[in-house]
Amino acid sequence: QVHVMESGGGLVEPGGSLRVSCKISGNQFRIITRGWHRQAPGKQRELVATMSASGSTNYADSVKGRFTISRDYKENTISLQMDDLKPEDTAMYYCFANSVVEGTITRRDYWGQGTQVTVSS
């Protein structure tokens, strides 16, 4: 079983920086992809950034050059460093892990509860 828990988030002024982190527990070798989605009020959830098991990364066009996803292999955490934040980055940020389900060949997403990021002056 995989468990996901976010931390960090908060209120920051436009142009500022913030870091959110995510602890992912469970069998790390079954996890295929780790990453972040976000959902703003009244909008659909959207992909922000992902990291594959091999370490390759992928970003939404709207955050490229401003956000950086990283992984701490020892602590089993991933983090999202967000720089030059804009009001449109305001959203609930959700961490996820896509993992092979034990005893099967199927995969599923495991989600955290989310952490709020608000960019406002």
Side-chain angles (χ1 to χ4, degrees):
Q1 184 75 358
V2 175
H3 294 279
V4 179
M5 181 176 292
E6 303 94 340
S7 61
L11 173 64
V12 64
E13 293 185 349
S17 297
L18 205 60
R19 186 180 184 91
V20 291
S21 295
C22 174
K23 176 78 171 181
I24 302 174
S25 60
N27 190 319
Q28 302 297 308
F29 296 102
R30 292 197 184 96
I31 297 173
I32 308 302
T33 305
R34 297 166 175 82
W36 296 89
H37 281 63
R38 67 185 180 187
Q39 187 166 19
K43 294 188 177 181
Q44 288 189 327
R45 189 174 293 194
E46 63 174 353
L47 179 70
V48 177
T50 62
M51 179 179 283
S52 71
S54 64
S56 62
T57 59
N58 182 53
Y59 296 92
D61 288 342
S62 59
V63 306
K64 280 181 182 176
R66 300 188 299 120
F67 289 14
T68 303
I69 188 172
S70 61
R71 180 181 173 187
D72 184 324
Y73 289 78
K74 182 178 179 182
E75 299 296 328
N76 293 332
T77 61
I78 61 168
S79 295
L80 187 68
Q81 176 66 37
M82 302 179 285
D83 299 318
D84 188 24
L85 282 160
K86 304 175 181 181
E88 51 263 41
D89 294 316
T90 295
M92 186 72 79
Y93 283 70
Y94 296 92
C95 179
F96 78 96
N98 180 266
S99 175
V100 176
V101 179
E102 183 177 359
T104 77
I105 58 171
T106 61
R107 293 163 59 173
R108 62 157 286 186
D109 289 333
Y110 296 85
W111 295 89
Q113 295 298 309
T115 185
Q116 180 67 37
V117 172
T118 302
V119 185
S120 175
S121 54

